[in-house]
C-alpha cells in the first residue's frame, strides 16, 4: 500500500510539472499549408505524414530558403520527445534549414494528434522513422544518400534503434537518451520510481498508452517479481545496446550527449554503449539533469550540445572538414568548473588511477527508515547542481547511525578530481531474504556538510537470511572536484524517494569487510 500510494502521488505531481513545461499544441493546420513564418528566410509547412501500419503522424517540414528545382539537400528527421508535440524543434530546425538541410519533425506515435498508441520505441516506432524518410524523399528535395536522425530523450532512443534497422541513415545525434533501457530505469535490479511514474503519468496525460505499456507500468510500479523476466525482455527489445552490431555494420556516425545527473537515463549506460561502437563516434557529458544540457537550445539560445550536433551533421552529411572528427572524441565538463576535457576514449577518463578507500569497520543498519541521505528530486536536484552548483546535501555527522552506515576518508591535502565511475565492493548480511540499499558518495566539507557526488541503488531477492554475500555496485558516473581540506564519505541507507525499496518489515542489514575479501570504494581520478 505504501509503495502504491507513493507512486500515485509522485505520478500526479510530476506529470503536472511536466505538462506545465510542455509547449501547447494548437489546432493542427491543414496538411501541406504554411502555418506561419519561422524566420525571415524560411517558413514551416505542416503535413500529415503516413506512418507505419496506416496511422497518420503530425509533422512539419522546413527546406532551405530559395531551394532550387532539381537540387537535393541532406535530410534530418527529428521525432519528438516523450509527451511533446511537433513544435519542439522549431528553433533548431530553422537553423538547420537555413544552413542547407531539409528538416522533418513529427509527433511520435501515440502522442497528441498523431495516430496509434504509445509503443515506447517498439517496432512500430522504428518503422515510423523509415516511413517518414520514405515520405520526405518523395515529397521534398531530400537527398537519399545524406540522411541523419536526431532528437532529445525519447527521440534519442528511437533514432539509435532506427539507425540499426535502416542502413540509409548516415549520422545520428542522440541527446539525453538511452541505449540500455533496463540499466536506465532498473539499474541495480531496483525500480527507479520517480522516473517511471513521471513518464507513465505524462504518457497518460499527453497520449494514449497501448495495452502493453499499461500492463508493464502496473507490473513495474507494483513490484510484480513474477513478471520481472518479461519486463526485462520488453526493455531489451527497446535497447540499442542489443542492436550495436547492426549499427556498426551500417557504419553510422553516432554522437551521444547526456548529463552527469540525468535522473531518467543515467550516464553509465551511454558510456558502455559508446565503447562498443566501431564507426565514427563522439561522447559528451555535462553537468545537469534530464534534457537540461540541451534544453536552452530548444529555445534558440546558444547551446554547446546543439552547436556540436550541427557540426556532427555538417561533417557526416555534408562532408565539411570542420574538425569535429579530429578532436578528442570524448568530451566532458566537470560539475565543478566550466572547462572541457578531451579524452581518446571512455577508459581514459579516469586515467589518473584509482584511489581505494577501505571500508574496514563493520556497520549495521535497520531498514525502512530514511536517514536523510538521498539522491534528490527528479529533474530538479541535478538542474540546481548545473546552474547554481547546489547538489543534494546531508549533514554527515548528524546522520542517524541506526539507519545509515557511514565511512569517511582522511582529509585531503590536495584536491581530488573524480572522473568516471566510482565502484563499491562490500559484503552484506541480511536478516531477510529480500532487501534494498542505496549507496551515496559525499564530498564532506570542514563543517560536516556533504555534497552528493554520486549514488546508486541495489536490490536483492532470494538470499538466505543470516548468510553473507558479496556485492559489486557501480555508482552513476560523474566528474567532480573535491577541494583540498575536504574528505569523502560513503553512506549507505535503505530508503530513497527516487527508488522503490524491497525491505520487509523489521529487516536489518550488516556490512562487513572480511579479511579474505576486504570491502572498499574505488574512486577513479583524473591525472594531475
Amino acid at each position: 500500500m505504501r509503495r502504491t500510494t507513493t507512486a500515485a502521488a509522485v505520478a500526479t505531481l510530476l506529470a503536472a510539472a511536466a505538462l506545465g513545461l510542455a509547449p501547447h499544441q494548437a489546432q493542427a493546420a491543414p496538411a501541406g499549408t504554411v502555418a506561419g513564418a519561422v524566420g525571415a528566410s524560411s517558413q514551416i509547412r505542416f503535413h500529415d505524414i503516413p506512418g507505419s501500419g496506416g496511422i497518420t503522424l503530425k509533422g512539419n517540414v522546413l527546406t532551405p530558403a530559395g531551394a532550387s528545382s532539381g537540387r537535393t539537400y541532406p535530410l534530418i528527421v527529428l521525432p519528438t520527445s516523450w509527451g511533446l508535440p511537433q513544435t519542439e524543434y522549431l528553433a533548431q530546425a530553422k537553423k538547420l534549414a537555413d544552413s542547407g538541410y531539409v528538416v522533418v519533425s513529427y509527433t511520435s506515435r501515440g502522442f497528441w494528434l498523431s495516430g496509434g498508441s504509445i509503443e515506447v520505441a517498439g517496432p512500430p516506432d522504428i518503422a515510423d522513422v523509415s516511413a517518414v524518410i520514405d515520405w520526405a524523399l518523395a515529397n521534398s528535395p531530400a537527398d537519399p544518400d545524406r540522411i541523419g536522425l536526431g532528437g532529445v530523450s525519447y527521440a534519442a532512443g528511437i533514432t539509435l534503434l532506427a539507425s540499426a534497422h535502416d542502413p540509409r541513415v548516415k549520422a545520428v545525434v542522440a541527446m539525453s537518451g538511452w541505449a540500455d533501457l533496463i540499466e536506465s530505469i532498473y539499474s541495480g535490479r531496483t525500480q527507479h520510481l520517480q522516473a517511471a511514474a513521471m513518464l507513465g503519468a505524462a504518457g497518460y496525460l499527453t497520449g494514449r498508452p497501448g495495452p502493453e505499456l499499461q500492463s508493464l507500468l502496473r507490473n513495474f510500479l507494483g513490484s510484480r517479481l513474477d513478471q520481472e523476466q518479461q519486463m526485462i525482455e520488453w526493455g531489451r527489445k527497446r535497447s540499442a545496446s542489443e542492436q550495436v552490431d547492426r549499427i556498426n555494420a551500417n557504419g553510422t556516425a553516432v554522437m551521444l550527449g547526456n548529463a552527469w545527473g540525468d535522473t531518467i537515463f543515467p550516464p553509465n549506460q551511454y558510456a558502455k554503449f559508446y565503447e562498443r561502437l566501431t564507426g565514427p563516434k563522439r561522447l559528451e557529458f555535462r553537468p545537469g539533469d534530464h534534457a537540461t544540457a540541451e534544453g536552452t537550445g530548444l529555445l534558440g539560445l546558444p547551446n554547446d550540445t546543439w552547436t556540436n550536433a550541427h557540426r556532427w551533421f555538417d561533417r557526416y552529411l555534408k562532408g565539411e572538414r570542420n574538425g569535429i572528427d579530429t578532436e578528442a572524441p570524448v568530451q566532458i565538463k566537470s560539475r565543478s568548473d566550466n572547462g572541457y576535457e578531451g579524452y581518446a576514449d571512455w577508459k581514459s577518463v579516469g586515467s589518473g588511477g584509482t584511489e581505494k578507500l577501505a571500508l574496514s569497520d563493520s556497520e549495521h543498519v535497520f531498514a525502512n527508515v530514511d536517514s536523510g541521505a538521498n539522491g534528490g528530486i527528479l529533474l530538479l536536484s541535478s538542474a540546481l547542481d548545473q546552474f547554481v552548483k547546489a547538489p543534494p546535501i546531508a549533514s554527515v555527522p548528524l546522520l542517524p547511525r541506526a539507519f545509515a552506515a557511514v565511512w569517511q576518508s582522511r582529509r585531503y591535502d590536495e584536491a581530488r578530481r573524480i572522473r568516471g565511475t566510482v565502484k563499491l565492493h562490500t559484503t552484506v548480511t541480511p536478516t531477510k531474504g529480500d532487501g534494498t540499499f542505496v549507496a551515496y558518495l559525499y564530498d564532506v566539507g570542514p563543517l560536516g556538510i556533504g555534497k552528493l557526488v554520486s549514488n546508486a541503488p541495489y536490490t536483492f531477492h532470494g538470499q538466505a537470511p543470516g548468510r553473507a554475500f558479496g556485492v559489486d555496485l557501480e555508482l552513476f558516473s560523474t566528474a567532480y572536484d573535491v577541494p583540498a581540506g575536504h574528505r569523502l564519505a560513503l553512506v549507505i541507507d535503505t530508503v530513497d524517494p527516487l527508488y522503490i525499496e524491497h525491505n520487509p518489515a523489521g529487516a536489518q542489514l550488516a556490512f562487513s569487510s572480511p579479511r579474505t575479501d576486504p570491502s572498499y570504494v574505488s574512486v577513479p581520478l583524473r591525472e594531475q
Side-chain angles (χ1 to χ4, degrees):
M1 177 67 71
R2 178 183 60 196
R3 292 171 187 156
T4 303
T5 303
T6 301
V10 170
T12 302
L13 291 173
L14 294 179
L19 285 182
L21 293 172
H24 175 67
Q25 171 101 339
Q27 180 69 29
T33 63
V34 178
V38 176
S41 55
S42 59
Q43 290 182 320
I44 180 172
R45 292 183 179 273
F46 289 91
H47 290 272
D48 287 346
I49 302 176
S52 64
I55 73 160
T56 297
L57 301 169
K58 296 296 182 178
N60 60 71
V61 181
L62 283 88
T63 55
S68 56
S69 177
R71 181 181 175 186
T72 59
Y73 302 86
L75 168 68
I76 295 176
V77 175
L78 304 171
T80 58
S81 302
W82 186 272
L84 296 186
Q86 57 168 299
T87 52
E88 176 184 4
Y89 300 109
L90 285 186
Q92 290 300 324
K94 181 204 178 301
K95 292 182 179 181
L96 288 165
D98 287 348
S99 65
Y101 290 93
V102 173
V103 185
V104 179
S105 181
Y106 67 93
T107 303
S108 299
R109 72 163 49 219
F111 289 102
W112 297 91
L113 299 179
S114 281
S117 58
I118 302 172
E119 301 286 347
V120 195
D125 291 297
I126 309 312
D128 283 345
V129 175
S130 294
V132 172
I133 291 173
D134 293 340
W135 181 90
L137 293 176
N139 294 276
S140 75
D143 188 336
D145 296 321
R146 296 184 291 169
I147 297 173
L149 307 176
V152 177
S153 186
Y154 187 45
I158 289 175
T159 54
L160 284 175
L161 285 162
S163 72
H165 291 269
D166 196 325
R168 296 175 295 181
V169 177
K170 299 298 188 292
V172 172
V173 176
M175 297 170 274
S176 288
W178 80 89
D180 188 325
L181 192 55
I182 300 302
E183 279 299 305
S184 295
I185 61 173
Y186 195 53
S187 67
R189 206 180 176 187
T190 307
Q191 298 103 315
H192 293 210
L193 170 62
Q194 290 185 13
M198 187 278 288
L199 292 171
Y204 274 102
L205 290 168
T206 63
R208 301 167 300 281
E212 190 175 28
L213 176 56
Q214 294 180 42
S215 174
L216 181 116
L217 284 170
R218 287 193 300 269
N219 293 335
F220 188 82
L221 294 174
S223 300
R224 288 284 304 276
L225 288 176
D226 60 316
Q227 297 296 314
E228 181 182 36
Q229 193 56 44
Q230 289 89 327
M231 288 188 282
I232 289 174
E233 291 301 320
W234 180 89
R236 285 175 175 166
K237 292 176 182 177
R238 289 158 171 80
S239 297
S241 59
E242 299 290 321
Q243 305 286 331
V244 67
D245 290 342
R246 299 182 67 163
I247 296 174
N248 289 335
N250 291 338
T252 313
V254 177
M255 173 179 156
L256 306 169
N258 205 353
W260 295 119
D262 194 319
T263 45
I264 298 180
F265 304 128
N268 302 44
Q269 44 93 28
Y270 247 19
K272 292 175 183 177
F273 176 70
Y274 169 84
E275 287 290 271
R276 296 175 61 198
L277 293 170
T278 58
K281 59 183 180 178
R282 183 179 178 92
L283 177 67
E284 299 182 355
F285 284 144
R286 298 177 176 84
D289 206 312
H290 185 66
T292 64
E294 54 275 347
T296 56
L298 294 176
L299 303 175
L301 301 174
N303 181 276
D304 290 352
T305 309
W306 279 103
T307 295
N308 289 335
H310 288 233
R311 295 174 65 214
W312 192 255
F313 286 135
D314 289 346
R315 175 66 188 91
Y316 292 103
L317 297 183
K318 291 183 178 179
E320 292 183 3
R321 297 289 179 178
N322 55 20
I324 196 167
D325 56 328
T326 61
E327 297 171 358
V330 176
Q331 294 285 326
I332 70 171
K333 181 185 283 189
S334 167
R335 291 161 52 197
S336 309
D337 61 51
N338 296 318
Y340 283 93
E341 302 166 9
Y343 297 88
D345 51 34
W346 174 247
K347 299 174 188 175
S348 301
V349 171
S351 56
T354 59
E355 179 176 2
K356 277 192 175 182
L357 306 178
L359 309 179
S360 54
D361 297 330
S362 296
E363 295 282 347
H364 177 276
V365 299
F366 292 89
N368 298 309
V369 175
D370 191 340
S371 70
N374 64 70
I377 300 172
L378 181 84
L379 302 180
L380 176 61
S381 297
S382 293
L384 290 174
D385 183 34
Q386 174 186 359
F387 294 113
V388 295
K389 301 290 192 293
I393 63 172
S395 177
V396 174
L398 297 181
L399 290 174
R401 295 310 197 261
F403 310 114
V406 180
W407 298 264
Q408 295 193 73
S409 73
R410 62 179 177 84
R411 293 193 186 278
Y412 294 119
D413 296 328
E414 298 180 347
R416 291 291 191 275
R417 294 178 173 84
I418 300 174
R419 299 292 186 272
T421 307
V422 175
K423 299 178 181 179
L424 166 66
H425 174 74
T426 190
T427 296
V428 181
T429 305
T431 60
K432 307 286 185 178
D434 301 333
T436 297
F437 66 84
V438 184
Y440 310 90
L441 188 69
Y442 284 101
D443 161 25
V444 184
L447 299 179
I449 301 301
K451 295 183 177 180
L452 186 65
V453 177
S454 185
N455 78 99
Y458 184 88
T459 294
F460 58 90
H461 297 289
Q463 293 291 337
R467 179 176 298 176
F469 62 94
V471 170
D472 289 290
L473 176 63
E474 290 187 350
L475 277 63
F476 301 135
S477 301
T478 194
Y480 185 95
D481 299 336
V482 180
H486 288 213
R487 66 177 75 201
L488 287 172
L490 180 80
V491 176
I492 295 178
D493 75 359
T494 62
V495 176
D496 189 310
L498 284 172
Y499 312 112
I500 291 179
E501 49 88 6
H502 295 263
N503 297 298
Q508 302 173 40
L509 299 175
F511 299 89
S512 59
S513 182
R515 185 176 57 183
T516 57
D517 186 21
S519 296
Y520 61 85
V521 172
S522 177
V523 181
L525 302 174
R526 173 188 170 186
E527 288 184 355
Q528 298 295 324

